Amino acid sequence: MTDVPILSVKDLQKSFGAVTAAKDINVDIPAGQVVGVIGANGAGKTTFVNMVTGYLKPSGGTIRFRGRDITGIAPRLAVHQGLTRSFQVSQVFMTLSVRQNLLSALALARRKGGALLRPIAGPELLAECDAIMARYGLTDVAEHEASALSQGSRKLLDIAMAVVSGPRMLLLDEPTSGVAAEEKFAIMDTVMSALKASGTTVLFIEHDMEIVERYVDRVLAFFSGEVICDAPPARALIDPKVRELVIGDTRAPTAPTAATGQAEAAYA
Amino acid sequence: MLHAILSDKTVRLTALALLALAAAGLMLPAWVVNNMMFGLARGAAVLGLLVLWRTGLMSFGHGLYFGLGAYAVALSEHWLGLSDFALRILAAILVAVVAGFALGFILRRYRDIFFAMLSLAFSMVLYGILVKTEALGSTDGFSVSQTTFLGWAPEGKQVLFTAIITVCLALAVLVQMYLRSTLGRLTTAIRDNEIRVEYLGYSVARAIHIKYVISAALAGGAGGMMAMALGQVDPDSMVYWTVSGELVFITIMAGPGSVLAPFIGAIIFEFLRTYAFEIAPHAWQLIVGGTLLLIIFFLPGGIWSLLERIPFFRRLRHD
Amino acid sequence: MQLLFTILLDGLVYASYLFIVAAGLTIIFGVMKILNVAHGGFYAWGAYTAAYFIGAASEMGLPDWFAFLIIAGSALAVGIVLGLLIERIVLRRLYDHEEILIVLATFGVFLILEDLILLIFGVNPYFAYQPMVALGSVEMGGIFRDVYSLTLFGVALSVAAGSWWMLTRTRWGKLITAVIHDREMALIVGINVRRLFVVTFCAGAVLGALGGAYIAPTVSVAPGFAVDVIVLSFAVVVIGGMGSIPGALIGALLVGLLRALAVHKLPELELFVIFLVMSAVLIVRPEGLFAPAKARKI
Ligand SMILES: Nc1ncnc2c1ncn2[C@@H]1O[C@H](COP(=O)(O)OP(=O)(O)OP(=O)(O)O)[C@@H](O)[C@H]1O
Ligand SMILES: [Mg+2]
């Protein structure tokens, strides 16, 4: 891991009227790390992602990405820098088919110069689209309209559209929410292996602690706009404050599992 | 590029239809030719609204550009003595493009009814200026002299009719090329989800601005053609909100399915109006209002979607 | 000085009835998210109905105060009948359509209502000056004004006070406020939105018709006279912020006074001035002066 963090957030603040959704958030994320963000409803997780990717302007603080100050820039400019996200509520083109969704994403990601004036689907683009659909298990629903997809497939499409641009860092907002329990691990395996292969730095928000345990190197626990714990999962998930305020469980913690042991090794 | 244009079925069909119309113009009575010219001119403006409507945007004030185009023709004659067809069209489009580019910086921030209403407000501001300014003809406007072609002043309307057909064809082909390009295809995407488009790294505001300027150019050219066909411009028949309202009505009636639809819709509209005024002079609004409701309820794709029931037309869509 | 006073007085009278009409429009928009162009039709129908029956009543020799009952009755009857019909026949099919299409549909309804007036009431204007004559006129600061126009202040204030009371003190009003504030939340909480829509639409329609019915005695009720009002009350609502009653009040005052100023100082520029203000407000505050900005959950 390099010395300069890929993402560096300093004293980040955000308030909506009386509600403080972010308070003095300080986080450095080294390239290649997989970070899990946990926190109860309304803790400020989505707000954090919104600010980092430019959807919301912070009330205070700075965000640096690959050494460059990106505080308050438009989302599309963050995307140009290699920083993108998926959405808690899937943001896809509802009246277009899965294929058309991905083709639109590809056409925009691969455009250069006058490419926008040429017809959309060249053969390379079509081939790339097929490859992505295969990787994300969307081939069977390629011609379905996005509005007709299951929650799980729509989430996958949403993520796939974000990945198309080949980001250096990807923020996933609850990639498995609204997805049937038995599908969750399948989705995460699909997504995480694809991202691992491309060396993308990942931060994902997740309510399911088993998933957090399985995939992340490091946990950020949010409570009421503050980061109350920043540690490898083996430690974070047994932290009493985290158990009380985030997981809502004050029973004595269990011994770390094999999976978290590995994750701790990766973090260290 | 040329190959792409010529192999596009919609382009071929449009060319064929308009050529047939030009040929027919030699035989048709003058009032029919006149109505056709009005229809084609208005159709070009409706084509401009179609470009916006595909993104879910509707301007209730396109009379602004229609009027600017028409007044560009009248004033360029009044001030500079221009009467040449090509120069008139260019002047009309140019003025509309400049205005559309400037106002686009404001309008691109608005959507839905706010976009529609702000457009309306802008058009009414122009209306107010025209009505109030003697130098701009006030309520009477100007008459527009006969259009010439490189110095040639032909008898009758046939030449002007053919020239208008040619311009409409060119405009339709350009719009078709635009709609088929990546930029044009983004239209539905932007209507569906702007946030996603932003997060794909593209500026929605810019895409809408471009559409808006294209749309203004079309309406401007249309106004110019209307001025030449009518031989007269005045605020009430070129800029008033009823003018914009008619354009919106034809857009919905024609349907967004094809670049040919606006012209078909606008020509039908002209004849519908001519006959309605003869048969039921007090029921014109009833007819327009009723048609609007029926189309919205039962034929959301407009007249074009009726044509699409015929396999030949349906195939154009996937072209 | 006198001119200033005249402008002020005219402006306030004008603002009063713009407010009555615009309050109906803004409530409908706030709750249903529908920009109801047919509102101009309610206004025209209210005016024609009132003018017709006031004329008939005076022919029958009924006392002059009866006209006020007719005005109230016309507003209620027109608002409820047209409101129910249009909600049921037109709007109900379109609730899930795009906003713009709904606007266009209500525009279609407006055109139909206009021509129905021609077919039913004919093309000749109606006059119903009786209540205005009956109330006489007063001198204020050197200018004469008819008392009837001044009673408009009272009506407008009652509408303002009444809608404030309705919205903040009654159950329906609180529901309406909840829906205006957060539609999705209101749906989740289980408010019967269908019924709320019907009630709101009729209430708004009654206000539109009331504006027309009350203005009828002061003007010649002729075809097409609703067009101006629609356009102006749109401006009022857009300036004030769609869905905000206080916004409609401020918007009405602004537009009313500006119009009076324009009419006296720069006639013919009246629409121009108002649209100019509307453009300016929209450019500076896209949501209008008083409407809250809404965020979208992503
Ligand atoms: N645009 C906004 N306007 C006003 N308040 C907001 C806005 N966005 C978020 N909030 C408030 O900020 C707080 C944090 O919200 P946020 O969406 O970030 O929570 P979260 O941790 O993502 O919760 P969840 O698990 O439910 O997604 C909440 O109290 C929320 O109501
Ligand atoms: Mg969230």
Side-chain angles (χ1 to χ4, degrees), chain C residues 6-8 10-11 14 255-265:
Chain C
T6 314
I7 290 174
L8 202 64
D10 282 359
Y14 211 74
V255 172
L257 290 171
L258 271 174
R259 178 178 183 271
L261 184 70
V263 166
H264 284 282
K265 300 295 276 183

Side-chain angles (χ1 to χ4, degrees), chain C:
Chain C
M1 189 59 217
Q2 195 143 346
L3 182 66
L4 194 69
F5 191 60
T6 314
I7 290 174
L8 202 64
L9 209 60
D10 282 359
L12 285 177
V13 169
Y14 211 74
S16 300
Y17 98 89
L18 275 182
F19 169 72
I20 298 170
V21 178
L25 199 60
T26 209
I27 286 199
I28 292 175
F29 183 84
V31 175
M32 307 169 76
K33 295 285 167 289
I34 291 178
L35 185 64
N36 177 35
V37 185
H39 210 64
F42 302 154
Y43 175 87
W45 271 84
Y48 267 96
T49 313
Y52 179 82
F53 283 107
I54 289 175
S58 111
E59 266 171 36
M60 282 156 59
L62 291 168
D64 285 330
W65 57 263
F66 205 76
F68 289 91
L69 284 186
I70 291 177
I71 288 172
S74 308
L76 280 174
V78 167
I80 291 174
V81 171
L82 288 184
L84 283 178
L85 281 177
I86 292 168
E87 202 278 337
R88 169 93 7 132
I89 299 174
V90 180
L91 300 184
R92 197 160 283 193
R93 302 163 172 273
L94 300 177
Y95 285 137
D96 54 351
H97 282 50
E98 282 171 80
E99 273 177 47
I100 290 286
L101 275 183
I102 304 182
V103 176
L104 291 173
T106 64
F107 180 57
V109 173
F110 171 69
L111 293 177
I112 292 173
L113 288 178
E114 283 273 291
D115 265 8
L116 284 182
I117 284 182
L118 284 185
L119 293 176
I120 292 170
F121 294 98
V123 292
N124 295 324
Y126 281 67
F127 301 96
Y129 292 135
Q130 291 84 350
M132 197 164 77
V133 174
L135 289 183
S137 57
V138 290
E139 198 215 296
M140 293 168 76
I143 48 177
F144 282 92
R145 273 290 169 281
D146 53 293
V147 176
Y148 183 88
S149 295
L150 301 183
T151 60
L152 253 181
F153 298 154
V155 178
L157 285 178
S158 319
V159 169
S163 49
W164 175 81
W165 180 80
M166 273 273 298
L167 289 177
T168 54
R169 292 286 180 273
T170 67
R171 206 179 77 87
W172 273 108
K174 284 179 187 160
L175 289 184
I176 288 179
T177 319
V179 174
I180 291 180
H181 189 72
D182 188 344
R183 196 146 114 130
E184 269 142 45
M185 187 55 86
L187 285 170
I188 292 166
V189 180
I191 290 174
N192 183 342
V193 176
R194 270 288 146 80
R195 211 167 64 208
L196 189 71
F197 278 13
V198 176
V199 172
T200 308
F201 194 70
C202 286
V206 167
L207 286 175
L210 179 64
Y214 212 87
I215 208 74
T218 68
V219 295
S220 82
V221 181
F225 91 121
V227 171
D228 257 12
V229 179
I230 270 206
V231 170
L232 291 181
S233 47
F234 275 159
V236 167
V237 171
V238 169
I239 289 173
M242 308 242 234
S244 157
I245 296 257
L249 194 60
I250 303 289
L253 281 173
L254 198 65
V255 172
L257 290 171
L258 271 174
R259 178 178 183 271
L261 184 70
V263 166
H264 284 282
K265 300 295 276 183
L266 309 155
E268 288 179 30
L269 268 201
E270 117 188 37
L271 278 182
F272 172 74
V273 171
I274 286 156
F275 277 111
L276 204 61
V277 173
M278 178 172 144
S279 315
V281 169
L282 273 182
I283 289 170
V284 180
R285 272 195 68 102
E287 305 282 337
L289 294 176
F290 283 83
K294 292 204 168 60
R296 170 165 160 200
K297 186 163 168 57
I298 60 170

Side-chain angles (χ1 to χ4, degrees), chain A residues 41-42 44-47 88 173-174 205 207, chain C residues 297-298:
Chain A
N41 291 115
K45 308 179 296 294
T46 299
T47 304
Q88 186 169 353
D173 195 349
E174 306 202 9
I205 300 175
H207 285 290
Chain C
K297 186 163 168 57
I298 60 170

Side-chain angles (χ1 to χ4, degrees), chain A residues 17 54 75 77 112 115 180 203 262:
Chain A
L77 300 178
K112 8 181 155 40
L203 176 148
Q262 279 167 13

Side-chain angles (χ1 to χ4, degrees), chain B residues 71-89:
Chain B
Y71 270 80
V73 167
L75 289 172
S76 64
E77 177 189 339
H78 197 69
W79 291 339
L80 309 173
L82 287 189
S83 67
D84 186 72
F85 181 81
L87 291 179
R88 283 179 159 180
I89 291 282

